[in-house]
Amino acid sequence: MYDFIKFIEILNKDDKQDSIKNALNSIKDVFHFAKIVADSQARQYYYEYVADEFNPNYVMKHTNRDIDYYFYQKDDYIFNDDELKDIKMILSIISLHHECFLLTKKAKENELISPNTKIPNAQGYLINVNKLAERFNINEYNSYYINIRGFGLINKIFGSKEGDKAIISYAKALENFIDEDEVIGHLGGDNFTATIKRSKHQAFIDLVTMCPIKVNNQGKEAKVNLIGIVGYIELDSLKSDHAQFLSEPSMACQYARNTKKIVVKVTPELLDMINDAKQVERTFKEELIKGNFVVYYQPKFDIKSGKIVGVEALTRWNNNGKLIPPGMFIPVLEHNGEIVDLDLYVLETLCKDIHNYRNQGYNIVPASCNISRRDLEVKDIENKIINIIRKYNVFTRDIVIEVTETTNLEENARLSKFIEVMHENGIMTSVDDFGTGYSSLSVLRDFKVNEIKIDRSFINRDILNNSDEIIIGSIIDMAKRLNIDVICEGVENTEQAEFLLRLGCKNAQGFLYSKPLPKLEFEALMRKIGTVYD
Ligand code: C2E
Ligand code: MG
Ligand code: MG
């Protein structure tokens, strides 16, 4: 038998197809070798290497999986049995090597593909977008970062299998939209990216911010609109850094989420503002002492009577005369853990005000303040809250603590304990921004919450349709069955208010009734329209 060690060594030198050529050349004379062909009908794959003039009748065929390998000689030499065995060995070795090469290639491709949607993942997207930038004028393109709003709820209502299918449908819609000179990516979960010609901007926004998909709702087909929250940038070839393809649109998307907007464009002002807000990290303690964090009050209303049923305390930062909204600085304070100082400060301000209102003979409506999820990491946060309420002789029933949904099980357990302690002490709790987190419906079942506040993104659009009705209706029905109050935030017009009433939601908060007001304006409004307790 021929000594194949050298042959294999050459073959393994590198993993390129070149090594096959080199190895075959090394046996050219011994085996009268002229040509080798690898041919697969099914996979539409064809590879041949011709070293010499060849005799059209192949000497041997060898099949590995669905690929046929053919060995051709350069003359009419008659091989003996041993030599034929050696040729069989050559074909087997080549086919194995080849299979290995194809598998590695496939694995490399898979590394760049999102397994669920089969579109490029972050890495694949960046490779494609860089290739695009080399071939086309990127000044004519926009890059987008898209996060689907309230996707957790789709999973909870329809099941995670339907959720996966919904994501695939969304990806398909993107795929169908793009041309060959445009790219998309799926960063996993409910996050997508895209680089699209600017001339198609509006059409793209229309598609991603209102994408109807079909889901199976207990055996029946239902239509649900997936709403993409979008951050985007107009690309500029003069900016050499690649932050503009991914991280800046993602910052704009994050900003859109924090400030509850649907589409936000990256501008130098926005990037400045995000940077400015980071300042709070340095100056927070000082600013808090100076009283530069002010509390605004936004009433909650009974839709039918138009009277006030409650009020929510919302912070603003007066930064040298510029009123900064909480969406800008709260994420920073949450990041460094200082948010608890702000939250307790707001609670204390609220308690002082309630104390004064009681002294002035007002009827008190339950007043809520927001507690960050990060506060749950603070030891004894429950007692800190209870002590502040006691310090000002405020009835516990006058206070509502708004919490947001958690993102993982551990946090969930902590939140559950927090709500339990609040409940035992007669302090009401409300789940804020309901529907945007990942634990939505289990919160209702397992926690002793008094109220849920449906996130404003669910009703915040021009036309409310059947698919909105399914989602909002399911939330309201479920809450009612569990004896939990429902309020909807962000109500801006009478159609939305009527829509909510029709679905059984009695309370609302939003610009239709009142913006968050400075304390004195809130007092004036309360005197003017009265509360349900009057
Ligand atoms: P949130 O608790 O969900 O408060 C509702 C937000 O929606 C407020 O934004 C309010 O101004 C806004 N809003 C109310 N009605 C409407 C409407 O009809 N249309 C629109 N477009 N918006 C409406 P704001 O005051 O900017 O607060 C944003 C978020 O910041 C709050 O969302 C809350 O999560 C957080 N936040 C505010 N103050 C505090 C605080 O003291 N502590 C903590 N931890 N978070 C706070
Ligand atoms: Mg709130
Ligand atoms: Mg909210």
Side-chain angles (χ1 to χ4, degrees), residues 9 72 121 125 224 264 328 374 411 414 465 478 507:
E9 261 174 19
Y72 293 83
N121 59 17
Y125 170 73
V224 168
V264 168
M328 297 305 303
R374 283 297 310 268
E411 246 184 20
R414 180 68 189 92
N465 56 29
M478 206 139 2
N507 296 336

Side-chain angles (χ1 to χ4, degrees), residues 125-168:
Y125 170 73
L126 282 174
I127 290 174
N128 292 346
V129 96
N130 278 305
K131 278 189 202 154
L132 187 91
E134 280 165 18
R135 291 175 47 217
F136 298 97
N137 177 8
I138 61 158
N139 288 321
E140 290 167 8
Y141 284 81
N142 291 351
S143 280
Y144 300 82
Y145 189 103
I146 304 148
N147 173 261
I148 297 173
R149 193 264 290 129
F151 190 71
L153 201 60
I154 305 268
N155 274 330
K156 290 291 164 189
I157 294 182
F158 306 107
S160 61
K161 252 201 193 137
E162 288 300 308
D164 284 350
K165 280 202 254 165
I167 286 289
I168 293 171

Side-chain angles (χ1 to χ4, degrees), residues 258-260 298 312-316 325-327 329-330 334 339 342-343 346 369-373 375 402 404 432-433 453 455-456 460 489-492 509-512 514-516:
N258 289 342
T259 54
K260 308 262 181 86
Q298 187 179 34
E312 174 177 12
L314 294 158
T315 337
R316 275 95 186 87
F329 57 85
I330 282 183
E334 283 185 328
I339 185 69
L342 180 67
D343 289 346
V346 173
C369 64
N370 295 279
I371 287 290
S372 162
R373 275 206 306 263
D375 299 349
E402 293 191 11
T404 48
D432 204 356
D433 306 337
K453 278 178 99 171
D455 190 67
R456 76 171 194 244
N460 201 327
E489 60 174 30
V491 177
E492 293 183 353
Q509 191 181 16
F511 295 167
L512 172 65
S514 168
K515 292 199 166 179

Side-chain angles (χ1 to χ4, degrees), residues 134-377:
E134 280 165 18
R135 291 175 47 217
F136 298 97
N137 177 8
I138 61 158
N139 288 321
E140 290 167 8
Y141 284 81
N142 291 351
S143 280
Y144 300 82
Y145 189 103
I146 304 148
N147 173 261
I148 297 173
R149 193 264 290 129
F151 190 71
L153 201 60
I154 305 268
N155 274 330
K156 290 291 164 189
I157 294 182
F158 306 107
S160 61
K161 252 201 193 137
E162 288 300 308
D164 284 350
K165 280 202 254 165
I167 286 289
I168 293 171
S169 304
Y170 195 79
K172 273 266 157 335
L174 297 187
E175 234 170 357
N176 291 339
F177 178 88
I178 60 168
D179 295 327
E180 269 171 20
D181 55 352
E182 294 169 327
V183 295
I184 50 172
H186 177 207
L187 310 186
D190 53 358
N191 295 304
F192 289 88
T193 47
T195 294
I196 307 284
K197 292 187 287 275
R198 189 160 312 133
S199 56
K200 290 166 71 184
H201 171 75
Q202 198 48 50
F204 185 65
I205 290 292
D206 290 347
L207 172 80
V208 295
T209 57
M210 180 66 80
C211 186
I213 53 123
K214 291 188 185 119
V215 289
N216 181 333
N217 184 19
Q218 293 167 352
K220 275 195 238 140
E221 191 173 85
K223 203 182 90 185
V224 168
N225 286 315
L226 294 188
I227 313 290
I229 308 291
V230 185
Y232 78 95
I233 187 168
E234 294 186 347
L235 293 176
D236 179 350
S237 58
L238 293 176
K239 273 172 82 177
S240 56
D241 66 295
H242 285 173
Q244 46 172 350
F245 294 142
L246 198 60
S247 70
E248 287 177 3
S250 122
M251 277 156 82
C253 176
Q254 188 59 39
Y255 174 78
R257 282 171 57 108
N258 289 342
T259 54
K260 308 262 181 86
K261 296 186 169 64
I262 303 279
V263 181
V264 168
K265 179 177 163 181
V266 175
T267 58
E269 295 76 36
L270 177 80
L271 297 176
D272 279 353
M273 189 155 63
I274 292 172
N275 272 326
D276 273 0
K278 285 190 192 142
Q279 245 196 72
V280 78
E281 209 157 16
R282 266 192 307 110
T283 56
F284 172 67
K285 288 243 154 70
E286 212 178 303
E287 291 286 287
L288 191 65
I289 292 167
K290 281 192 197 153
N292 284 336
F293 285 90
V294 277
V295 178
Y296 274 49
Y297 291 98
Q298 187 179 34
K300 303 175 178 180
F301 289 82
D302 175 85
I303 300 178
K304 254 193 201 146
S305 69
K307 295 214 181 281
I308 296 175
V309 289
V311 64
E312 174 177 12
L314 294 158
T315 337
R316 275 95 186 87
W317 175 25
N318 184 346
N319 182 15
N320 292 320
K322 263 198 286 177
L323 212 56
I324 315 270
M328 297 305 303
F329 57 85
I330 282 183
V332 182
L333 297 176
E334 283 185 328
H335 187 72
N336 72 6
E338 287 184 318
I339 185 69
V340 66
D341 294 335
L342 180 67
D343 289 346
L344 293 178
Y345 171 83
V346 173
L347 175 67
E348 183 148 3
T349 310
L350 183 65
C351 288
K352 273 186 209 163
D353 286 346
I354 294 178
H355 179 86
N356 291 337
Y357 289 146
R358 275 231 186 274
N359 285 346
Q360 292 165 30
Y362 276 112
N363 275 329
I364 300 297
V365 289
S368 64
C369 64
N370 295 279
I371 287 290
S372 162
R373 275 206 306 263
R374 283 297 310 268
D375 299 349
L376 298 177
E377 293 165 24

